[in-house]
Amino acid sequence: MMINKSDRIGIKVPKNFDNRGRHLVLVFTMIITAVALISAPISIASAQSVGGEKKTLRIGYFPNITHSQAVIGLNNGDFQNTLGDNVTVETVRFNAGPSAIESLLADRIDATYIGPNPAINGYLLTGGEDLRVISGASSGGASFIVRNDSGIESVSDLGGKKFASPQLGNTQDVALRKFLIDNGFNTVENGGNVTVLPIANADILTVFLKGEIDGAWVPEPWATRLVQEAGGKVLLDEKTLWPEAKFVTGNLIVRTDYLEDNPEIIKKLLEAHVDETLKINNDTAAAAKEFNTQLKKVTGQEISEDVLNNAYSNLELTYDPLKLTLFKSANDAYDLGFIEKGKDRPNLSGIYDTTLLSEVLAEKGLEPIDDAGAINNSTNSTSSGEAIADIVA
């Protein structure tokens, strides 16, 4: 039995059609079939594209030199290039740690660069559930600057003086108050004769110039500005108080649920962070210029070249989390009554998750981070626990 070609492709042609009509139907059907076959791969590819969900990473940072990786890399496209086109990067700028932590815990951002003490506070506030430190960002870069005419020549001259720190209970405030106690002084609210005022960094420069305070414990670039623009002098560089002259001043933290749901994005973020850190440290002069370019783009302001170069010389940008130094800062904050007041000394052993950081470093052939949070080599390591009393772990 002969099968009609039109029947073979599933088209029924009315019997009353003449040969010409049958031919036209057959040709038309074959054209439609060919178009469908050609279009099929495109449709499949399109479906796959739609199926590949585009995700968002909302990341916070401060327009500070201690967050240089973010200021530069988030604004010049370096981070976006590493994260790829399938991740939309949204940035949020902050000027204070508490507001960044509030946004993180309220699910308004997914990750942020931040100082150690706000990270500790956020961790404790949620019972250790809602955030993790995934990398370090900066070390050092904080100093105790006093006025030349303050009458302060040594630590023994601090009695009866008035000092400032950027914020009550922040990293520099805790360092200043602990330093006073360690040297036999106390603040007026605790029965001593030293006044410590919480004043924003920009305002510290103003009151310093007016002679309304005798000194301030501030981060870079404000320490350099107090020296170069206000005639101050360095009484103490904080790094001299720490083993190996290293202490954490900046971290990269993430919401725990975002980390669990999007490990591939956080790993890419860490790749970008490590790459930017290495790039900056490889040429700090070029990085300083790039920092100013991006700072002006986002704030409309610049830092003088001399101030910026000096500030970078007092600071180390690093992905090393320097875990032991964060634990020491937590102990100091606890002793001063800023965290867990009236409760047992807090346990911070779960605050870190550096698993992905370790993977990134291994893949790049870089020195690993050991269990204490130090880069595991002889020239860039943090002291052992014995050198830092009362480790919270």
Side-chain angles (χ1 to χ4, degrees), residues 146-351:
V146 298
R147 290 195 348 261
N148 267 311
D149 59 356
S150 64
I152 300 173
E153 299 298 330
S154 68
V155 174
S156 61
D157 300 322
L158 300 179
K161 302 298 183 180
K162 184 183 296 185
F163 304 112
S165 66
Q167 188 176 31
L168 182 65
N170 91 324
T171 307
Q172 288 78 43
D173 185 66
V174 168
L176 171 56
R177 293 171 187 272
K178 182 65 165 58
F179 180 75
L180 290 171
I181 290 174
D182 287 347
N183 286 279
F185 299 97
N186 216 327
T187 56
V188 291
E189 63 269 24
N190 290 310
N193 65 349
V194 178
T195 301
V196 176
L197 302 172
I199 304 174
N201 283 315
D203 296 327
I204 286 177
L205 179 60
T206 301
V207 296
F208 195 99
L209 281 164
K210 290 181 177 180
E212 295 176 4
I213 57 173
D214 297 296
W217 198 297
V218 289
E220 292 291 356
W222 298 99
T224 296
R225 293 191 67 179
L226 289 180
V227 172
Q228 293 192 5
E229 299 175 25
K233 62 183 179 182
V234 179
L235 181 69
L236 177 79
D237 185 330
E238 187 181 344
K239 66 185 177 185
T240 62
L241 301 176
W242 292 89
E244 304 294 330
K246 295 176 184 295
F247 64 100
V248 61
T249 48
N251 286 311
L252 178 55
I253 67 174
V254 64
R255 253 189 13 260
T256 308
D257 60 340
Y258 191 91
L259 174 62
E260 293 172 349
D261 294 341
N262 303 280
E264 72 288 348
I265 294 179
I266 295 303
K267 186 173 180 179
K268 286 289 186 182
L269 172 62
L270 286 166
E271 288 177 13
H273 172 67
V274 170
D275 286 345
E276 203 69 42
T277 302
L278 296 173
K279 181 179 175 182
I280 291 170
N281 289 336
N282 188 54
D283 190 346
T284 54
K289 292 180 181 178
E290 182 67 9
F291 177 88
N292 248 343
T293 297
Q294 301 307 325
L295 183 68
K296 186 173 183 179
K297 183 191 298 184
V298 297
T299 69
Q301 300 176 334
E302 289 181 298
I303 300 173
S304 77
E305 186 175 343
D306 285 346
V307 167
L308 200 53
N309 287 334
N310 192 75
Y312 268 119
S313 71
N314 294 327
L315 177 76
E316 179 187 0
L317 296 173
T318 180
Y319 43 81
D320 185 342
L322 297 168
K323 293 180 183 179
L324 297 184
T325 67
L326 180 138
F327 294 152
K328 176 63 166 60
S329 293
N331 277 311
D332 292 345
Y334 176 82
D335 292 338
L336 290 166
F338 286 123
I339 59 173
E340 303 293 86
K341 191 170 184 177
K343 301 179 182 179
D344 291 338
R345 191 176 296 274
N347 187 313
L348 299 180
S349 59
I351 195 171

Side-chain angles (χ1 to χ4, degrees), residues 46-76:
S46 177
Q48 289 174 338
S49 176
V50 172
E53 181 186 359
K54 191 172 180 69
K55 296 189 176 183
T56 299
L57 173 64
R58 303 165 298 174
I59 184 166
Y61 70 97
F62 295 34
N64 295 345
I65 187 174
T66 51
H67 296 179
S68 288
Q69 298 98 323
V71 174
I72 296 173
L74 285 171
N75 292 295
N76 71 358

